Amino acid sequence: MLTAIAQRMTRAEILRAVATRRATLSEYQMVPTAVRWSFIGFAATIPFEGAAIAASLSVSKLSGVIFIACYLFFYNPLSGKRRLPSGSAPLFWFLVYFSVFLANGLFLDWYFLGQFLRIALTLAQLLLVFWIASSLLAIEALRRRVLLGFALGAVLSALATLLQVPGFAVVIEGHLGERLTSMDSNPNYVAFTMVIAAVILLGTALDARTHKLWSKAFLTSLALPLLAVAVRTGSRTGIASFLIGFGICLCFTREARHRLLAALLFVLVSGAMTYLVVKHPT
């Protein structure tokens, strides 16, 4: 298959592709190993936000602290090799939003001070993570590994929920019926986590760089338990988000054979989701 792809490319295109791949791998290898793996581990534990180790400490928070500590150890003004990342336009507007939020705190009643400080601390943490992560995600090889790490973590969470592992599967009784969630988290949050991971896996399966058929089939099969949990949560917004995200993946599929595969995936996934909705109408 690789030979067939190479035969359809000119010599200049092949040399350009090889040079681009080498440059991408060089950027990836320049990132310290501890930073790379702590970042991937942090992304993989995000779906386990509800798994609490202590009263106010979860698995994902602990891995986030480890990731930030590793990053600041290698990237700091005292290091002669690496510096902190520069700012960006999205980071600037995030900072503007945070500043406006802090300014509004001057006009709040003292009764809401505790809640205001908790939200401000959360936003400050998100700002720091966004600043660090956005610079690392600019490296393509690391970005793919981080996204797949998040998706695989979501798959493990979905399988544990479907298999009713103690502490994962939780059924919430609502006025419209039962809603499944995981680790006592908000069902809508669980649905969004699952559909984002499903879009990542299906998008990777449709990517031209995923050449082997068994890899495409394996990635597609991993998306099924994610969609099963998303449907069982009863989140209509989550299902709509998946359809929009998957539709965007289809729009960016260029080659004819990939479009055919995308159409088959769409039929398969839509059929599976329809079956789940009929089986669990609530």
Side-chain angles (χ1 to χ4, degrees):
M1 183 176 293
L2 293 176
T3 304
I5 294 173
Q7 289 176 350
R8 293 195 297 266
M9 300 173 62
T10 63
R11 179 178 177 83
E13 290 176 340
I14 294 175
L15 293 176
R16 191 182 305 113
V18 172
T20 302
R21 180 173 177 79
R22 288 179 178 176
T24 302
L25 292 177
S26 177
E27 289 181 338
Y28 174 76
Q29 293 171 355
M30 288 177 63
V31 180
T33 304
V35 176
R36 294 200 305 258
W37 285 105
S38 62
F39 191 18
I40 296 173
F42 170 57
T45 57
I46 290 178
F48 299 92
E49 173 66 25
I53 300 177
S56 59
L57 182 64
S58 64
V59 176
S60 61
K61 289 181 180 179
L62 178 61
S63 61
V65 170
I66 295 174
F67 162 59
I68 293 176
C70 290
Y71 185 89
L72 295 179
F73 178 78
F74 289 98
Y75 294 83
N76 59 76
L78 299 179
S79 175
K81 297 181 180 179
R82 305 175 184 90
R83 296 179 297 177
L84 293 173
S86 58
S88 61
L91 180 64
F92 171 76
W93 289 112
F94 196 164
L95 186 59
V96 169
Y97 169 79
F98 183 56
S99 301
V100 172
F101 177 81
L102 293 179
N104 288 331
L106 300 175
F107 305 98
L108 283 179
D109 188 272
W110 286 99
Y111 178 77
F112 301 102
L113 181 61
Q115 182 180 4
F116 171 78
L117 292 178
R118 286 194 296 270
I119 297 176
L121 179 61
T122 301
L123 287 176
Q125 294 172 351
L126 289 175
L127 183 62
L128 177 62
V129 172
F130 180 79
W131 179 35
I132 294 174
S134 60
S135 64
L136 293 175
L137 291 176
I139 304 173
E140 183 180 0
L142 182 57
R143 179 171 64 246
R144 288 173 61 87
R145 287 166 173 80
V146 169
L147 291 177
L148 286 176
F150 170 80
L152 292 178
V155 170
L156 292 178
S157 177
L159 291 175
T161 302
L162 293 175
L163 295 176
Q164 298 184 351
V165 175
F168 281 87
V170 178
V171 178
I172 299 177
E173 294 287 346
H175 64 282
L176 295 178
E178 296 181 349
R179 300 183 66 182
L180 181 67
T181 184
S182 178
M183 295 173 285
D184 287 328
S185 299
N186 187 309
N188 293 323
Y189 169 78
V190 174
F192 289 140
T193 302
M194 298 300 160
V195 298
I196 290 173
V199 170
I200 291 173
L201 292 174
L202 294 176
T204 305
L206 294 174
D207 192 355
R209 286 166 294 187
T210 306
H211 303 293
K212 296 182 179 180
L213 182 60
W214 69 267
S215 299
K216 296 178 181 293
F218 178 67
L219 292 171
T220 304
S221 64
L222 290 181
L224 296 181
L226 298 171
L227 297 176
V229 173
V231 171
R232 293 290 305 277
T233 60
S235 176
R236 291 169 292 183
T237 308
I239 300 302
S241 301
F242 167 75
L243 295 177
I244 294 173
F246 191 42
I248 293 175
C249 290
L250 297 180
C251 292
F252 283 93
T253 303
R254 299 179 180 179
E255 297 186 14
R257 59 190 181 89
H258 286 140
R259 288 179 181 176
L260 178 60
L261 177 61
L264 293 175
L265 281 177
F266 184 78
V267 172
L268 175 63
V269 172
S270 299
M273 294 183 67
T274 302
Y275 169 77
L276 291 172
V277 170
V278 171
K279 186 176 181 181
H280 306 281
T282 57

